[in-house]
Amino acid sequence: MKLSLTINGDPYRENVESTQTLLGVLRDDIGLTGTKWGCLTGDCGSCTVLVDGRTVVSCLQLAAQVDGSTIITVEGLAGRGRTMSDLQDAFVRHGAAQCGFCTPGMLVAAEQLIRDGIEADEKAIREGLSGNLCRCTGYNKIIDAVVEIAATRG
Amino acid sequence: MTAAPVAAPAAEVFRPADVAEAVRFLADHPGAVPIAGGTDVMIDRRLGRLSTGWLVDISHLDTGGIVRDGDDLTIGATTTIRSIETSRELADTAPALVEAARVLGSVQIRNMATLGGNLCHATPSAEMPPPLLVFGSSAALAGPSGERSIDLADLATGPGTTSLAPGEMLVSVTAAVPDGIGSCYIRQTIRWAMDLAGAGVAASVETDGDTVTALRVGLGAVSPIPMLVPGLDDIAVGHVLDPDVLAEAAARARDACSPISDARGTADYRRHVVAVLTARAIRIAAARARGTWPIDRLAPPNGFDPEVLPGRENGPVR
């Protein structure tokens, strides 16, 4: 099927299998490999992207269902002409990435929590990020970074 | 590096324009499966539990959203769990539904998953049935020969099976939410997040002063299908909710359920937990009915809230 998507501000028209997942389209058809494939059953959150301003796990998202949607992946967080967003910068300063595999999903999920106005509260942010697993278990630094940006943007 | 996987081979997606076209297609294509949020269907396909030639995408169909009309609260089947979690209307009138929605999966899963999917996948531990059962809900079904309404208690027939006829789909659920009804949903889990309930308990209470006029308790994860505890009217209606009545209601819930032993706990433990959670859920629902529960305060996921409800029967699960 023909699929029209706006991804990180750019229009795409792709010819894809109708049962392809959004994750598969992003990585295989379009080559945006920042979004990671992990568990493929919606548990780990490493494939998190924004679809029309809502976080979804793209491994469970049928691409056919989001035809015409606006997608933001980790590659689109910085915005054009910038090297990193404030949140990405905070992740670096706090040492919030160890192996880095969960980082794209963490960044996208946290970015949307902050955009939705989450309080700069550790408990709320831990709950909000409970769908993103870090197998290095480096959660404290991730939470610190997100709390900082929730506070500075709030 | 392996290439990112496709969902499954040899399948296609049909996107109907409306409910009528969806049920016609489902009736004409035996084995076709409706897909909304996909958080169960896609996993079932990935794990080989579901093979089908056709997926019928109903995620974009308008099933009415969340509407209150008098005592009737109707929620469309394609309403996301996140919409239920964040609904101002539901927080005010039926907090049990909000408390069930907010513990389901993660934010990402709740953004995708729908009420209809949670009910029609018929997982015994599903979060949404117990609170809907305590509101005496009905389910509106659409099929190739028209619409019909059934008691929500008759929708699930066993783990993973429903009474939906071939070609039928769930369109909406209507709950009876009279003014002043208090409700609550709490559960026991091994982890606080991204976990299925070992036991889930919903309660609804209506009162006249301190006297109970109606009491319902719904259970999840402790029987093959979500269930209402029978016989509670006999012990509660016309009485004040004193410790004896609470203990008797908890005992009836414990005796009515039939949990299995699995990774989430032994049958004996789960029966014990059902009794503890039943007493907590009734107390919180009753406090809401009487207006003594703080507005906008959701119950902790396991209902243990000694700040608001002190007392031994609210104590930690032992």
Side-chain angles (χ1 to χ4, degrees), chain B residues 85-295:
Chain B
E85 178 191 3
T86 56
S87 164
R88 189 66 250 174
E89 174 75 53
L90 295 182
D92 290 342
T93 58
L97 291 171
V98 175
E99 286 166 343
R102 91 187 141 137
V103 294
L104 191 159
S106 61
V107 174
Q108 292 94 315
I109 296 293
R110 299 197 288 276
N111 278 334
M112 303 170 77
T114 62
L115 177 64
N118 192 249
L119 298 175
C120 292
H121 197 249
T123 306
S125 62
E127 310 296 349
M128 303 313 297
L132 287 168
L133 289 174
V134 300
F135 293 125
S137 299
S138 61
L141 315 179
S145 51
E147 296 190 5
R148 65 182 177 122
S149 176
I150 64 170
D151 191 329
L152 182 67
D154 296 328
L155 181 63
T157 53
T161 60
T162 68
S163 57
L164 290 171
E168 261 186 337
M169 63 172 270
L170 176 67
V171 178
S172 65
V173 175
T174 298
V177 185
D179 268 341
I181 191 170
S183 69
C184 174
Y185 174 81
I186 57 181
R187 65 177 196 164
Q188 176 268 333
T189 50
I190 294 168
R191 310 190 319 137
W192 281 104
M194 287 296 282
D195 203 356
L196 298 178
V201 177
S204 72
V205 177
E206 293 168 74
T207 54
D208 179 3
D210 284 339
T211 305
V212 175
T213 56
L215 168 65
R216 293 195 188 91
V217 171
L219 307 179
V222 289
S223 50
I225 57 174
M227 59 174 285
L228 279 170
V229 177
L232 294 180
D233 280 353
D234 305 345
I235 59 167
V237 170
H239 297 271
V240 174
L241 271 181
D242 59 29
D244 289 345
V245 171
L246 273 178
E248 181 61 25
R252 292 206 179 187
R254 182 192 63 214
D255 295 344
C257 68
S258 53
I260 58 170
S261 296
D262 65 11
R264 289 170 231 293
T266 63
D268 281 349
Y269 174 69
R270 290 161 94 159
R271 280 185 189 279
H272 172 72
V273 166
V274 163
V276 173
L277 294 185
T278 296
R280 290 182 187 173
I282 292 173
R283 289 184 83 201
I284 295 169
R288 284 180 168 145
R290 291 195 300 260
T292 57
W293 185 267
I295 290 171

Side-chain angles (χ1 to χ4, degrees), chain A residues 19 28 48 54-55 59 65 132, chain B residues 4 7 36 43 46 57 108 111:
Chain A
T19 53
D28 285 357
T48 300
R54 298 178 316 150
T55 49
C59 71
Q65 292 181 299
N132 293 77
Chain B
I43 293 172
R46 185 92 67 203
D57 176 20
Q108 292 94 315
N111 278 334

Side-chain angles (χ1 to χ4, degrees), chain A residues 17-21 23-24 27-28 37 40-45 48 54-57 59-62 64-67 105 109 113 116 127-128 130-133, chain B residues 1-8 11-13 15 35-39 42-43 45-47 55 57-59 80 82 102 105-109 111-112 191 193-194:
Chain A
E17 294 280 324
S18 73
T19 53
Q20 178 66 288
T21 61
L23 175 63
R27 289 183 59 91
D28 285 357
W37 65 283
L40 303 183
T41 49
D43 294 307
C44 79
T48 300
R54 298 178 316 150
T55 49
V56 305
V57 278
C59 71
L60 299 183
Q61 179 66 65
L62 265 187
Q65 292 181 299
V66 297
D67 188 25
L113 289 177
D116 286 343
E127 199 170 317
S130 61
N132 293 77
L133 299 183
Chain B
M1 185 78 191
T2 317
V6 294
E12 286 187 75
V13 178
R15 302 193 85 195
I35 180 169
T39 55
M42 294 295 281
I43 293 172
R45 284 165 56 76
R46 185 92 67 203
L47 300 181
L55 294 174
D57 176 20
I58 58 169
S59 61
T80 65
R82 185 70 166 168
R102 91 187 141 137
S106 61
V107 174
Q108 292 94 315
I109 296 293
N111 278 334
M112 303 170 77
R191 310 190 319 137
M194 287 296 282

